[in-house]
Amino acid sequence: MPEGWFRLDIDPERRERSVDALVDRRFEGTDNMPHIKRQLRQDLLAQAAAAFREGGIELYLSLQQAGPLTIPASLLVTFMPASPNGTTPSLEDVATRLASDGQAEVQVVELAAGTAVRVRRVTGGPGQAPPVGLPGKAEETLPSVTLDYQLPVPETGAHLLMTFSTPLVQIADAMVELFDAVAGSLTWMDGEGIGE
């Protein structure tokens, strides 16, 4: 991940400590905003819990600064296990299904980690419901740019889904370039020696 991104641990046993560390970092040196701090903590806990329920294994939040402003963006990594019946759709079939609604740009691309389906879309906006598990009313949701990469995990029937998102639709192309670079840097490691 680029410098300035925070890995939020979404595992239920470590979630609160991780959220507290992020909130403390964001409010370092500021003691006069307890209500905002408490609301941020509640929102982050809700987002982390929703991400975990949806199969998320990693959640990263951008803390990068542009002057005094934080550049809002996120990356959720989701593990999609192999189908119980052992059949896994081809990436071409996945791309065809995702392109069928006509609401997204869908491509099959080559990454350092292998072939992937890349999906870019704009989600949210007036009258649309917030993402699953997140608080808010339909009329409150803001549009955001979402970029998904779905790719097979080697030697398994499982897939990995990387979902990048930002509400900065005004600079969507620049943000998507960053997301593409991060996805392009993914490589698989041999599992031998892990955890030793």
Side-chain angles (χ1 to χ4, degrees):
M1 294 303 298
E3 188 176 332
W5 284 64
F6 184 91
R7 179 184 177 270
L8 188 65
D9 196 332
I10 60 177
D11 182 275
E13 293 181 10
R14 298 181 297 273
R15 183 182 302 150
E16 287 197 30
R17 274 194 314 264
S18 187
V19 165
D20 288 343
L22 175 56
V23 170
D24 288 346
R25 181 172 167 180
R26 294 305 299 154
F27 286 89
E28 188 174 2
T30 308
D31 292 328
N32 61 349
M33 294 191 243
H35 298 300
I36 295 172
K37 191 174 178 179
R38 186 170 37 253
Q39 185 62 51
L40 176 62
R41 184 179 188 279
Q42 290 172 349
D43 290 348
L44 288 171
L45 285 170
Q47 290 176 24
F52 186 79
R53 273 194 312 276
E54 297 296 318
I57 56 173
E58 299 277 339
L59 177 61
Y60 297 89
L61 300 174
S62 168
L63 301 179
Q64 289 182 307
Q65 296 288 130
L69 303 175
T70 300
I71 300 171
S74 65
L75 165 60
L76 175 63
V77 180
T78 305
F79 179 75
M80 302 165 63
S83 170
N85 63 12
T87 60
T88 303
S90 70
L91 289 179
E92 289 75 15
D93 290 341
V94 170
T96 299
R97 181 178 47 81
L98 292 171
S100 65
D101 68 3
Q103 300 296 311
E105 292 175 24
V106 181
Q107 302 170 287
V108 176
V109 298
E110 289 298 325
L111 301 176
T115 305
V117 175
R118 178 185 184 273
V119 181
R120 178 180 173 172
R121 65 173 53 105
V122 176
T123 59
Q128 291 197 24
V132 174
L134 297 185
K137 297 177 182 172
E139 64 272 8
E140 294 174 351
T141 61
L142 298 173
S144 65
V145 175
T146 303
L147 185 68
D148 291 333
Y149 276 92
Q150 182 174 333
L151 64 161
V153 177
E155 300 180 27
T156 72
H159 281 195
L160 193 71
L161 176 64
M162 297 183 291
T163 301
F164 298 89
S165 184
T166 181
L168 298 177
V169 293
Q170 303 85 348
I171 58 168
D173 291 340
M175 294 302 292
V176 166
E177 279 185 36
L178 172 67
F179 299 159
D180 283 332
V182 172
S185 71
L186 176 70
T187 55
W188 300 111
M189 296 176 61
D190 185 341
E192 290 182 22
I194 293 177
E196 291 181 0

